[in-house]
């Protein structure tokens, strides 16, 4: 989920934990980026390697048996970072649309995005990460969140301040080696629980839902979070529920019923069957959060990789595969 507003004073700790922090940047007005289905439309492996599918049509990609190493990460962070490539906020009930907005050029040196702003008393940790791309051919650059500086890229790259992602119109991630400096908010549990979400400057697309959402979605969200005392606790209750033994990860349950979608009907089916893969979990979580009035979006990227070396002065190295 995210908070993509203009300047917001005293960003809530909940926003720090589960939403992108509002940023203050002077954006350069540029034409909107090409829609993702015009280029690199399908994911999976083969040819050069794999790519990033921002349209959530991942079923066939995930079911392909061949797995390749897409990139490696060396970081000073205490744990491997999640890597963000594309965010999806607009949801019409059937399709989640990748975000596109004004961009700023990524300079050869120096900051890409303004420093993260946090509420008074919230600690911010500074981590450096080097990403070496292997078999990944994509116009969307995987970066740790929340990135402030990206250096070392070859070609022309653009940053989207509203979600701190990086994209190119003509280049590719293939064989790129780049460094990312991220300022990561580290609020305490008390700071998170005492904070609110939303605000007058919040993009309405982050909470909007169509009129025909099946009742089971909102009813289930309220049932699962009935004992929660804060928005953070509501989200934690949803996460705990999805990770419980009541759900089963599955790539083929039930494909024959058109279950590869991410719309509200697919979410309702998922809540009944309680078996599916990442798209179903993410879409269900986001829609249920919005039904509770909590801003939410979907992020497409890579999970933290697998440690391939012990920690040393330059950080620990991790490898990330196509299945992640």
């Amino acid at each position: 989920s995210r908070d993509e507003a203009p300047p917001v004073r005293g960003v809530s700790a909940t926003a720090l934990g589960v939403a992108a922090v509002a940023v203050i940047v002077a954006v350069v007005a540029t034409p909107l980026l090409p829609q993702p289905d015009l280029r690199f439309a399908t994911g999976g492996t083969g040819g050069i390697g794999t790519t990033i599918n921002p349209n959530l049509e991942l079923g066939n990609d995930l079911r392909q048996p061949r797995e390749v190493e897409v990139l490696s990460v060396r970081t000073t962070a205490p744990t491997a970072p999640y890597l963000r490539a594309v965010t999806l906020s607009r949801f019409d009930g059937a399709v989640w649309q990748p975000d596109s907005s004004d961009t700023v050029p990524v300079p050869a040196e120096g900051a890409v995005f303004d420093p993260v702003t946090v509420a008074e008393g919230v600690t911010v940790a500074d981590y450096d990460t080097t990403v070496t791309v292997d078999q990944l051919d994509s116009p969307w650059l995987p970066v740790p969140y929340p990135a402030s500086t990206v250096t070392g890229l070859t070609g022309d790259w653009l940053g989207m301040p509203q979600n701190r992602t990086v994209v190119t119109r003509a280049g590719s991630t293939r064989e790129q080696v780049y460094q990312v400096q991220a300022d990561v908010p580290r609020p305490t549990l008390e700071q998170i629980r005492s904070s609110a979400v939303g605000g007058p400057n919040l993009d309405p697309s982050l909470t909007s839902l169509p009129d025909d959402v099946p009742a089971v979605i909102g009813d289930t969200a309220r049932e699962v979070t009935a004992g929660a005392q804060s928005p953070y606790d509501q989200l934690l209750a949803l996460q705990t529920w999805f990770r419980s033994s009541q759900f089963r990860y599955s790539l083929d349950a039930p494909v024959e019923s058109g279950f590869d979608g991410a719309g509200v009907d697919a979410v309702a089916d998922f809540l009944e069957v309680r078996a599916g893969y990442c798209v179903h979990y993410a879409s269900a979580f986001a829609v249920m959060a919005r039904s509770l009035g909590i801003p939410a979006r979907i992020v497409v990227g890579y999970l933290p990789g697998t440690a391939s070396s012990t920690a040393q002065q330059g950080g620990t190295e991790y490898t990330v595969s196509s299945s992640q």
Side-chain angles (χ1 to χ4, degrees):
S1 56
R2 71 169 179 196
D3 192 347
E4 63 166 4
V8 176
R9 303 302 178 192
V11 174
S12 72
T14 300
L16 302 179
V18 300
V21 181
V23 295
I24 309 171
V25 276
V27 297
V28 177
T30 59
L32 293 180
L33 295 167
Q35 286 301 302
D37 58 353
L38 297 180
R39 190 164 173 271
F40 297 100
T42 58
T45 58
I48 296 169
T50 189
T51 187
I52 293 171
N53 187 325
N55 299 316
L56 300 187
E57 297 168 356
L58 303 179
N60 289 333
D61 302 342
L62 292 171
R63 284 185 285 272
Q64 292 192 22
R66 180 168 175 256
E67 183 169 333
V68 298
E69 181 180 316
V70 291
L71 54 87
S72 62
V73 172
R74 179 175 289 274
T75 183
T76 60
T79 58
Y82 285 80
L83 299 176
R84 164 179 298 203
V86 187
T87 61
L88 303 91
S89 303
R90 290 168 294 148
F91 180 56
D92 62 7
V95 177
W96 290 88
Q97 292 289 341
D99 297 331
S100 59
S101 68
D102 288 342
T103 58
V104 293
V106 176
E109 296 180 358
V112 178
F113 306 114
D114 277 9
V116 170
T117 57
V118 298
E120 185 177 356
V122 174
T123 299
V124 178
D126 182 357
Y127 300 128
D128 294 314
T129 300
T130 298
V131 180
T132 302
V133 177
D134 187 4
Q135 298 194 59
L136 176 65
D137 189 3
S138 168
W140 292 277
L141 191 75
V143 293
Y145 178 82
S148 290
T149 302
V150 181
T151 56
L153 289 169
T154 300
D156 296 326
W157 292 83
L158 302 167
M160 288 190 189
Q162 69 164 1
N163 55 17
R164 292 180 185 258
T165 59
V166 180
V167 67
T168 180
R169 291 193 181 90
S172 169
T173 56
R174 187 166 9 125
E175 298 181 355
Q176 297 277 354
V177 179
Y178 52 98
Q179 295 74 44
V180 183
Q181 181 263 323
D183 299 320
V184 183
R186 308 291 293 180
T188 66
L189 184 58
E190 291 74 16
Q191 288 170 327
I192 294 176
R193 282 181 166 151
S194 64
S195 301
V197 296
N201 293 320
L202 188 74
D203 186 332
S205 71
L206 297 174
T207 53
S208 65
L209 288 172
D211 296 330
D212 57 349
V213 175
V216 65
I217 295 176
D219 292 345
T220 304
R222 287 184 289 274
E223 178 183 346
V224 172
T225 63
Q229 300 299 312
S230 69
Y232 172 81
D233 289 324
Q234 287 179 304
L235 294 171
L236 185 61
L238 285 175
Q239 174 179 277
T240 301
W241 184 62
F242 281 125
R243 290 180 172 179
S244 72
S245 59
Q246 296 186 52
F247 286 85
R248 178 175 58 88
Y249 184 88
S250 173
L251 291 174
D252 56 3
V255 173
E256 60 275 13
S257 301
F259 198 47
D260 268 354
V264 290
D265 292 335
V267 169
D269 289 342
F270 172 63
L271 295 180
E272 178 180 354
V273 177
R274 299 193 179 181
Y277 56 89
C278 56
V279 169
H280 306 115
Y281 285 90
S283 189
F285 197 118
V287 174
M288 292 173 76
R290 288 188 180 188
S291 76
L292 298 171
I294 300 174
R297 65 175 173 187
I298 290 177
V299 174
V300 179
Y302 286 98
L303 294 168
T306 303
S308 57
S309 69
T310 57
Q312 39 192 293
Q313 187 172 4
T316 305
E317 185 168 298
Y318 302 83
T319 58
V320 179
S321 69
S322 53
S323 66
Q324 295 174 302

